[in-house]
Amino acid sequence: RRCHRRSPAMPFPPFCAFLGALGLLCVAMVGAWCQHWRGGFSLDGGSRTFNWHPVLMVAGLVVLYGAAALVYRIPSAWRGPKLPWKVLHGGLALGAFVLTVLGLAAVFRFHRSQGTPNMYSLHSWMGLATVLLFSCQWAAGFGAFLLPWAPTWLRALYKPIHVFFGSAILMLSVASCASGINEKLFFSLKNGTTQYKLLPAEALFANTLGILILIFGVLVVAALARPSWKRPDSDCPDSRQ
């Protein structure tokens, strides 16, 4: 297979900076939504405990997970030992998983204190399926790529599967967040069939947040699919370790 040299002049760094700013904006907006319109945060088991759920899910399952997915697109990751980048990739993904588990704990505690059944909507099942798939993805990636005794043929076999499910999990996370925002607005505002231009400011703010989360997810997947931003094959001179 031919080995193509990569041009050193790449637009990835400014794109990465824009994506980072967009991710931070999404986290800031979901935090502002919960603080300004939903009463803030607490650990008392009430509605303010629930508010940790959207913040932690967006921060972990979307933004931090997206950052983990893009580690190998950084040009400096194309040369030298792969182990530090593997550790960074796995560490960011693990951090995303920890935030996600805390977000699930917040919503389950809220439901338990209010006597609300768990897993009663499409959002609930989609979100739980995403988290379970994410946990399997992380465990399989750790076993295949970080453990030293994993055979080369197993890594080669599993790598395209790992890459595919990485993008799939991110899009499932975005879909879960969008459906969760929609569900929360329906429960909280009860606007019925009010015209969009007459909706309260909270609805407009939350819908904008959902659109930004969607844009973030699409841009991450687009970056993962762009051939010029992929790490060169291991047999290329540019990728010697």
Side-chain angles (χ1 to χ4, degrees):
R1 189 167 55 179
R2 292 183 179 180
C3 176
H4 298 281
R5 293 182 62 85
R6 306 299 180 94
S7 172
M10 297 188 60
F12 182 81
F15 173 84
C16 192
F18 169 77
L19 204 57
L22 180 59
L24 291 176
L25 177 61
C26 290
V27 176
M29 286 186 66
V30 69
W33 176 29
C34 294
Q35 179 67 40
H36 181 71
W37 281 287
R38 296 292 104 210
F41 304 90
S42 77
L43 299 175
D44 58 4
S47 60
R48 293 186 299 168
T49 298
F50 171 85
N51 290 339
W52 287 107
H53 174 68
V55 172
L56 293 172
M57 288 302 189
V58 172
L61 207 53
V62 176
V63 177
L64 198 56
Y65 184 87
L70 290 176
V71 163
Y72 288 111
R73 268 56 182 177
I74 301 174
S76 55
W78 295 356
R79 297 179 175 85
K82 291 180 65 174
L83 182 59
W85 299 100
K86 287 183 179 181
V87 173
L88 178 61
H89 174 74
L92 289 174
L94 181 60
F97 182 73
V98 171
L99 294 180
T100 300
V101 171
L102 293 176
L104 287 179
V107 69
F108 285 144
R109 181 179 181 185
F110 167 72
H111 286 170
R112 184 172 59 253
S113 66
Q114 302 297 314
T116 304
N118 294 313
M119 312 306 297
Y120 57 83
S121 67
L122 175 62
H123 164 70
S124 303
W125 287 104
M126 184 186 301
L128 184 60
T130 303
V131 175
L132 292 176
L133 192 60
F134 179 20
S135 61
C136 294
Q137 169 87 341
W138 192 92
F142 179 82
F145 300 118
L146 277 176
L147 295 182
W149 54 78
T152 304
W153 65 265
L154 178 61
R155 296 180 181 181
L157 179 66
Y158 177 64
K159 181 179 178 181
I161 300 174
H162 186 77
V163 172
F164 168 78
F165 276 103
S167 298
I169 291 170
L170 178 62
M171 295 315 298
L172 284 173
S173 302
V174 170
S176 298
C177 289
S179 63
I181 291 171
N182 198 41
E183 183 177 294
K184 184 62 177 178
L185 290 178
F186 274 132
F187 284 159
S188 302
L189 301 182
K190 300 180 175 63
N191 293 301
T193 57
T194 303
Q195 295 183 22
Y196 191 83
K197 63 181 180 180
L198 301 178
L199 288 176
E202 179 182 358
L204 301 178
F205 187 90
N207 287 337
T208 302
L209 168 64
I211 292 173
L212 293 179
I213 291 174
L214 176 61
I215 293 174
F216 179 88
V218 170
L219 289 179
V220 171
V221 173
L224 294 175
R226 183 166 179 172
S228 61
W229 287 351
K230 292 182 179 180
R231 182 185 175 98
D233 296 330
S234 59
D235 57 347
C236 295
D238 287 347
S239 62
R240 288 177 181 171
Q241 298 182 29

